[in-house]
Amino acid sequence: MTDCIFCKIIAGEIPSSQVYRDEQATAFRDINPAAPTHILIVPNKHLDSVNQMEAADEPLIGHLFSIAKSLAAEAGLTESGYRLIVNTGAGAGQTVFHLHLHLLGGKSMNHLLG
Ligand code: AMP
């Protein structure tokens, strides 16, 4: 998608603080972090949101979680805990319409949603 900011990051057309990359996915630090660790894990192929995923994407989406687990471990969050968020749709707070998994940790978080 030519007008997708995360596609441009994946393509290296705009800079990011990249922390992980493989054939299927890329992870980079959120430009406006909400916690000491705030990483976005995105599929390299464009999907607007979870709404656009198909059954064939299940391994890809699972892979994003595996990356999150590894990056959380690298950040020392395995024991202290971390939060994974996938906002889906504007009403849920999604602002960038390229599916992404937020990895948040390094501070105490309430059980609260919203
Ligand atoms: P969401 O609101 O769930 O769609 O999350 C989008 C996230 O992307 C926000 O937390 C933004 O701070 C982050 N973001 C937007 N532009 C960039 C960028 N160029 N580099 C890194 N993170 C970004």
Side-chain angles (χ1 to χ4, degrees):
M1 291 260 304
T2 51
D3 60 347
C4 170
I5 191 165
F6 287 177
C7 283
K8 289 179 180 169
I9 286 174
I10 292 159
E13 293 169 6
I14 53 177
S16 73
S17 180
Q18 186 175 298
V19 295
Y20 180 83
R21 172 83 182 210
D22 66 24
E23 286 183 3
Q24 297 183 76
T26 300
F28 49 90
R29 296 196 185 280
D30 196 292
I31 202 167
N32 185 23
T37 296
H38 188 172
I39 294 169
L40 302 174
I41 304 151
V42 308
N44 292 341
K45 86 166 188 178
H46 184 91
L47 291 169
D48 287 344
S49 75
V50 170
N51 284 333
Q52 213 180 28
M53 79 171 278
E54 299 179 346
D57 296 314
E58 288 176 9
L60 173 62
I61 303 304
H63 186 54
L64 303 183
F65 277 78
S66 291
I67 294 167
K69 174 187 166 184
S70 297
L71 293 176
E74 278 179 26
L77 298 172
T78 301
E79 300 302 326
S80 57
Y82 53 94
R83 183 171 290 180
L84 301 175
I85 299 173
V86 183
N87 295 324
T88 303
Q94 186 176 5
T95 58
V96 177
F97 284 80
H98 182 124
L99 193 156
H100 51 281
L101 183 59
H102 293 257
L103 164 60
L104 294 151
K107 74 171 188 181
S108 178
M109 287 179 257
N110 294 328
H111 182 262
L112 188 64
L113 290 176

